[in-house]
């Protein structure tokens, strides 16, 4: 029984945790904090056809591939999700990259829009858990974008227009969190993940454990 308990506590299928929401709601900051605070969460390295920027490393920031290699991945259905544009850089999330983690009980976190979420849910409906981050107000959202001091007013206006458009998709997500404060938001996301880790379908060790309990009951 002791061996079974040890195995049961370690055996779990990982979660594909997808964060969505408009720019300015703190998605990137939440992802960074989650990765820092929980060593059982990994970041999936995506494929891209664009050239590396200064300081970027292949296999760390992205897998930098040719258009031919990208097409091969796509034709082989090797992506969980992808953005396939003929006019710019293309991106994709490799199944093998994600499955390597979740099959051994590690969770994978993503910063992804509704198109990526739709593709992921279609291919892995029982593994995906999605959280949409809402701003406390539109006024606060604009303030956060302006406080970054990285974009022109024109870019900020475009981001605000896109943000309003993205707000329409909040109901596509499993959970919705109003991002008032970074630490509070991270804690809420951690609580959601903790509960999802305990879902019956992810506790793959349950079958062996309950079989052992039944056998023990029969033997008196």
């Amino acid at each position: 029984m002791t061996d079974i308990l040890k195995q049961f506590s370690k055996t779990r299928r990982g979660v594909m945790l997808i964060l969505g929401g408009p720019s300015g709601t703190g998605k990137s900051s939440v992802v960074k904090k989650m990765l820092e605070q929980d060593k059982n969460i990994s970041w999936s390295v995506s494929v891209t056809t664009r050239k590396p920027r200064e300081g970027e490393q292949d296999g760390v920031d992205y897998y930098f591939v040719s258009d031919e290699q990208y097409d091969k991945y796509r034709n082989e259905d090797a992506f969980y999700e992808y953005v396939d544009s003929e006019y710019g850089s293309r991106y994709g999330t490799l199944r093998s990259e994600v499955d390597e983690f979740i099959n051994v009980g590690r969770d994978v976190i993503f910063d992804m829009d509704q198109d990526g979420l739709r593709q992921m849910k279609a291919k892995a409906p029982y593994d995906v858990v999605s959280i949409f981050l809402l701003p406390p107000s539109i006024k606060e959202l604009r303030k956060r974008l302006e406080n970054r001091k990285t974009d022109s007013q024109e870019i900020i206006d475009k981001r605000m227009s896109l943000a309003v458009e993205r707000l329409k998709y909040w109901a596509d997500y499993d959970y919705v969190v109003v991002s008032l404060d970074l630490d509070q938001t991270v804690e809420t996301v951690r609580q959601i993940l903790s509960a999802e880790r305990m879902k019956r379908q992810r506790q793959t060790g349950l079958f062996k454990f309950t079989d052992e309990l039944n056998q023990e009951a029969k033997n008196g």
Side-chain angles (χ1 to χ4, degrees), residues 185-202:
T185 301
V186 169
E187 181 57 30
T188 302
V189 172
R190 284 173 59 86
Q191 290 174 3
I192 292 171
L193 178 58
S194 293
E196 287 290 340
R197 285 170 169 171
M198 298 304 296
K199 285 283 185 70
R200 185 183 65 242
Q201 67 265 26
R202 295 193 181 93

Side-chain angles (χ1 to χ4, degrees), residues 110-204:
F110 306 84
D111 177 351
M112 192 173 288
D113 65 16
Q114 63 276 1
D115 291 329
L117 172 64
R118 175 181 51 78
Q119 294 180 62
M120 294 280 281
K121 288 178 72 172
K123 294 180 178 178
Y126 300 109
D127 293 319
V128 169
V129 175
S130 56
I131 303 174
F132 193 87
L133 301 185
L134 282 173
S137 69
I138 296 301
K139 182 179 179 180
E140 174 63 21
L141 185 64
R142 177 176 286 277
K143 179 180 176 182
R144 291 178 183 181
L145 292 177
E146 290 175 345
N147 286 344
R148 290 178 178 179
K149 300 186 184 303
T150 57
D151 297 320
S152 66
Q153 193 60 50
E154 181 182 2
I155 296 298
I156 290 174
D157 289 341
K158 287 182 179 179
R159 288 187 183 277
M160 287 300 300
S161 296
L162 181 59
V164 172
E165 179 65 26
R166 284 189 173 178
L167 286 174
K168 299 176 182 178
Y169 298 98
W170 65 270
D172 293 343
Y173 291 72
D174 300 314
Y175 300 90
V176 178
V177 175
V178 178
S179 182
L180 294 168
D181 169 81
L182 177 58
D183 290 337
Q184 179 185 0
T185 301
V186 169
E187 181 57 30
T188 302
V189 172
R190 284 173 59 86
Q191 290 174 3
I192 292 171
L193 178 58
S194 293
E196 287 290 340
R197 285 170 169 171
M198 298 304 296
K199 285 283 185 70
R200 185 183 65 242
Q201 67 265 26
R202 295 193 181 93
Q203 296 289 334
T204 54

